[in-house]
Amino acid sequence: MTQTDKKGTRPSRQPEVADPVSAAARDLTMSITRLESKIRKTAERAQVSLDRYKKIAADATMRADDQEYRGLINEEIADLEANIVKMDRHRAALQRKIALLAENPEEAFLPLGTVVRFVGVPEHQNSLGLTDDRKSYPVPGSIGVVTRLNRDGECSISVSMRETFRIGWGDELYPSDDRLPTYFVEREMLEVEEYAKLPDGTEYLGYGFQPTHIRTPEKDEKQGVEMVLEARGHFWRFHDFGGKQGIEALQAYEHMDAMSWIEGPLEQYGTKRPSPTSVMVP
């Protein structure tokens, strides 16, 4: 399912020197392909075991005093059948992701800093996991911010939380400036609330590192730049680690003054330190 903004239209992307969407889609496709292959092989081994157990269960020569053993065999059969179903569903979901990344990769991602509302959890269970971890996600209605385009695993987006929220198990979590619980999510789990703001108040619709502020140089260093976006009343500081790790959010402060090493916005955005102006969506 493809989500759009509240106006019902998808915004045009801002041009970038390198295409982070293509790079993320390429690496993520390779990661998902490897995972799909691993699940397929696991399912094949499970099917071999299932066939063997069914053959044992159908043995008409089994004596009456072997009924306890037969019961154990039937339990193994039920567990294997359930696991194979989970793996089939998981593989089907992965194949849909691979197709989307090949045909329309932008539909799998969102611009950095986008404010999103959780609307659900993955439809499929992680078939290789020991437990169903879908209750570990924030409950529907929770608000987060897109902080990363994933290039590994199977989920395309990372969403970080700055406001108090609950997870499906009932626990309430309290993020802080530099402690931002982050979740790997799918695009269909989210609704767009609004887009992050650049220092001049315009929406940021990009997917890559966008220098916005001047960083005070340390001793013997050249003057540097920072990427800071305003989203949901906080100032989110992003850093590009390069490679598959890519861009991530380091902190989210209530006030720009908390980042004392920043002199101010780049010339193209003005000279005054901004103050929070994002609309707080209930």
Side-chain angles (χ1 to χ4, degrees), residues 10-22 106 110-114 149 195-212 227-229 268-269:
R10 189 175 185 83
S12 58
R13 270 177 51 209
Q14 295 176 349
E16 293 159 346
V17 175
D19 187 356
V21 169
S22 295
E106 287 189 13
L110 282 169
L112 293 173
T114 301
L149 276 61
Y195 296 95
K197 301 294 192 303
L198 292 163
D200 61 2
T202 59
E203 291 182 337
Y204 180 64
L205 304 177
Y207 298 79
F209 188 85
Q210 176 68 41
T212 59
M227 177 180 179
V228 180
L229 300 175
Q268 68 213 63
Y269 297 120

Side-chain angles (χ1 to χ4, degrees), residues 129-148:
L130 297 177
T131 60
D132 187 350
D133 62 358
R134 287 176 290 184
K135 285 189 176 181
S136 299
Y137 280 102
V139 298
S142 302
I143 298 295
V145 169
V146 175
T147 53
R148 187 168 182 255

Side-chain angles (χ1 to χ4, degrees), residues 114-119 136-148 158-168 171-185 189-190 231-232 234 236 249-253:
T114 301
V115 179
V116 293
R117 183 184 298 270
F118 279 82
V119 296
S136 299
Y137 280 102
V139 298
S142 302
I143 298 295
V145 169
V146 175
T147 53
R148 187 168 182 255
S158 286
V159 171
S160 298
M161 314 298 286
R162 183 59 179 83
E163 303 173 23
T164 300
F165 69 101
R166 285 190 303 109
I167 61 174
D171 300 330
E172 194 166 41
L173 302 183
Y174 303 89
S176 60
D177 294 344
D178 55 4
R179 191 180 68 83
L180 307 170
T182 300
Y183 295 87
F184 299 145
V185 304
M189 295 169 56
L190 310 169
R232 187 75 175 181
H234 290 91
W236 294 72
L250 300 180
Q251 296 101 11
Y253 295 104

